[in-house]
Amino acid sequence: ESQDQHIASVREEIRKIDPDIVIFQEVGSEGALNETLAPLDPRWKTSVISAFKQGGFISGQQIAIASKFPANSAWAEPWKRGWADAPRGYAYALYTINGKKLAVYGLHLKSNLGNPPENTSKREDGISQLISHINSDENRVAKADAIVIGGDFNTDDPDSPHGQSKGERTFDFLKKAGFNWAFEGVNHAFRITCPAKGRYPAASFDHIWTKGLGNPIASP
């Protein structure tokens, strides 16, 4: 019953926004995702869904990308065992839209549960691996006309009063790699993506970063 209610809620939000591409986090199964999308529009197709493992088992926190456009290619890959052993990984899909190639990455970085310095390191590790992948000479993504990175970053601008971990370099890595933050200049009160719950304050954890699409002009 709870899953049915959640599916109905997600479906209603997609109807309101009417997007062409959606990046999902914490997907329980491909069946649940297909059930969510099926009544919306026959053009909706799941481009990719990850199969990340936790403790040797497929976890219930998968990343998926779905679109009204057919994907040229798509895959999901866990992070390599880097310097901080980041959990999960990324999902990727490449689309051709109006003759241009758009590369889309979906992420779900380490949460704030547990040891704060370790959490920060795991987020930084994941982003640094992703940027290295994008910039790799052997990487076909380098031929994309534009790149979108979106998902649950579990952190905010470290230079703002609402940053979860002062000095965290997750945002800095992306900015130095030439990416633009879609929330740049937006007041924190107007970019809440995780409402307050219990002892946890309202937070802006979900972000979109772009490259090759110009610098977004935000409203204050």
Side-chain angles (χ1 to χ4, degrees):
E1 182 181 356
S2 176
Q3 177 172 295
D4 289 344
Q5 292 174 353
H6 189 62
I7 286 174
S9 174
V10 172
R11 189 184 293 146
E12 183 57 29
E13 293 305 316
I14 293 175
R15 282 197 180 101
K16 290 178 184 177
I17 300 170
D18 192 26
D20 295 309
I21 301 171
V22 180
I23 301 169
F24 296 90
Q25 298 83 41
E26 299 190 17
V27 178
S29 69
E30 186 172 1
L33 181 57
N34 290 337
E35 182 181 347
T36 303
L37 297 173
L40 293 173
D41 189 310
R43 293 175 295 171
W44 277 110
K45 296 290 185 296
T46 299
S47 301
V48 60
I49 180 168
S50 64
F52 302 136
K53 291 185 177 182
Q54 184 175 8
F57 298 94
I58 300 293
S59 79
Q61 293 196 348
Q62 302 301 328
I63 304 168
I65 304 174
S67 176
K68 296 176 183 176
F69 303 107
N72 300 346
S73 59
W75 69 81
E77 184 176 8
W79 303 124
K80 295 178 173 60
R81 297 190 69 83
W83 49 276
D85 196 19
R88 291 178 288 269
Y90 69 86
Y92 165 87
L94 180 68
Y95 305 96
T96 299
I97 303 172
N98 296 328
K100 301 288 187 178
K101 289 184 178 180
L102 176 68
V104 178
Y105 286 92
L107 301 176
H108 182 182
L109 300 181
K110 178 65 178 71
S111 72
N112 291 287
L113 297 175
N115 182 280
E118 289 183 4
N119 296 336
T120 297
S121 295
K122 290 178 186 296
R123 289 192 289 265
E124 293 175 346
D125 184 13
I127 285 297
S128 63
Q129 287 191 47
L130 183 67
I131 293 171
S132 294
H133 163 73
I134 291 172
N135 293 334
S136 170
D137 291 337
E138 298 82 26
N139 182 19
R140 50 188 159 172
V141 179
K143 299 179 181 179
D145 297 289
I147 301 173
V148 171
I149 302 173
D152 183 355
F153 284 68
N154 271 308
T155 191
D156 199 356
D157 181 3
D159 295 326
S160 77
H162 306 279
Q164 276 62 47
S165 47
K166 300 301 180 185
E168 180 170 343
R169 299 172 295 171
T170 301
F171 278 29
D172 189 49
F173 286 165
L174 287 161
K175 290 178 180 179
K176 287 182 176 178
F179 283 87
N180 294 301
W181 182 32
F183 277 146
E184 189 74 57
V186 178
N187 187 287
H188 184 263
F190 296 102
R191 55 181 179 85
I192 298 300
T193 67
C194 188
K197 184 178 181 180
R199 63 187 179 90
Y200 298 104
S204 177
F205 279 168
D206 303 88
H207 306 281
I208 295 173
W209 293 78
T210 67
K211 189 174 185 178
L213 294 173
N215 193 1
I217 301 174
S219 300

